[in-house]
């Protein structure tokens, strides 16, 4: 019984026959064609994906560049404003210094004048004392 079963299975397709070889050859050609199509599809999809991400990277780079330029312009503007403020502050300082110098000079002149006047008074009094004894 077992030997008859084996002989039936081998005749049904258990063994290799010419028809099987033809089917395998046809399948391998179809498989190669499918693999080629799959490879082409994969390459096309990867190309599209890479292109999309490169565009995204480019837009991010542009955004970054624009923001940096704006920040630099803003910084330069503030720097100029600070320089103007420093210049104005320096001018105000110079004016205050010149006013102080004028006031101090006038005060010195008054003190010198007052001293001379008092010296003259003292000399005149001494002259009177000498004269009157």
């Amino acid at each position: 019984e077992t030997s008859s079963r084996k002989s039936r299975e081998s005749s049904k397709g258990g063994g290799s026959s010419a028809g099987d070889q033809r089917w395998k050859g046809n399948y391998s050609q179809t498989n190669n064609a499918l693999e080629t199509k799959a490879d082409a599809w994969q390459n096309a999809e990867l190309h599209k994906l890479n292109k999309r991400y490169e565009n995204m990277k480019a837009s991010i780079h542009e955004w970054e560049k624009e923001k940096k330029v704006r920040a630099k312009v803003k910084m330069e503007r503030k720097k100029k404003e600070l320089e103007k403020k420093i210049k104005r502050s320096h001018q105000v300082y110079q004016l205050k210094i010149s006013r102080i110098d004028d006031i101090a000079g006038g005060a010195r002149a008054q003190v010198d004048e007052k001293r001379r006047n008092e010296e003259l008074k003292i000399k005149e009094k001494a002259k009177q004392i000498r004269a009157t004894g």
Side-chain angles (χ1 to χ4, degrees):
E1 213 178 73
T2 56
S3 62
S4 63
R5 223 188 259 173
K6 285 182 185 178
S7 64
R8 272 189 261 153
E9 286 175 3
S10 65
S11 64
K12 279 188 177 177
S16 60
S17 64
D20 287 342
Q21 288 298 326
R22 191 175 29 172
W23 176 252
K24 284 182 182 177
N26 193 12
Y27 177 73
S28 65
Q29 287 174 356
T30 307
N31 193 18
N32 285 342
L34 287 176
E35 283 182 22
T36 306
K37 283 184 182 179
D39 289 341
W41 177 83
Q42 180 183 0
N43 289 337
E45 289 298 313
L46 287 174
H47 181 71
K48 283 196 290 188
L49 180 75
N50 287 335
K51 192 173 181 181
R52 185 170 71 230
Y53 279 94
E54 287 300 319
N55 287 339
M56 284 182 191
K57 282 183 181 180
S59 66
I60 289 168
H61 180 71
E62 287 298 318
W63 176 85
E64 176 187 23
K65 202 163 89 175
E66 180 183 343
K67 291 295 182 181
K68 284 181 179 179
V69 166
R70 283 186 183 180
K72 187 173 183 177
V73 166
K74 191 174 182 179
M75 189 260 314
E76 291 293 327
R77 191 179 317 129
K78 288 200 178 234
K79 190 176 178 181
K80 285 181 183 178
E81 289 173 7
L82 285 173
E83 287 172 358
K84 284 180 184 179
K85 284 183 180 180
I86 290 170
K87 192 175 181 180
R88 273 188 246 131
S89 295
H90 190 68
Q91 287 173 345
V92 167
Y93 169 75
Q94 291 295 333
L95 283 173
K96 285 183 179 180
I97 294 297
S98 66
R99 282 186 201 143
I100 291 169
D101 286 342
D102 289 345
I103 292 169
R108 273 200 257 352
Q110 283 180 347
V111 166
D112 287 342
E113 183 68 28
K114 207 173 189 181
R115 182 178 180 194
R116 271 185 261 132
N117 286 340
E118 287 183 18
E119 280 179 2
L120 282 175
K121 282 183 188 177
I122 290 172
K123 286 180 182 177
E124 293 224 4
K125 204 171 194 177
K127 194 177 187 183
Q128 253 182 354
I129 292 173
R130 283 189 197 108
T132 58

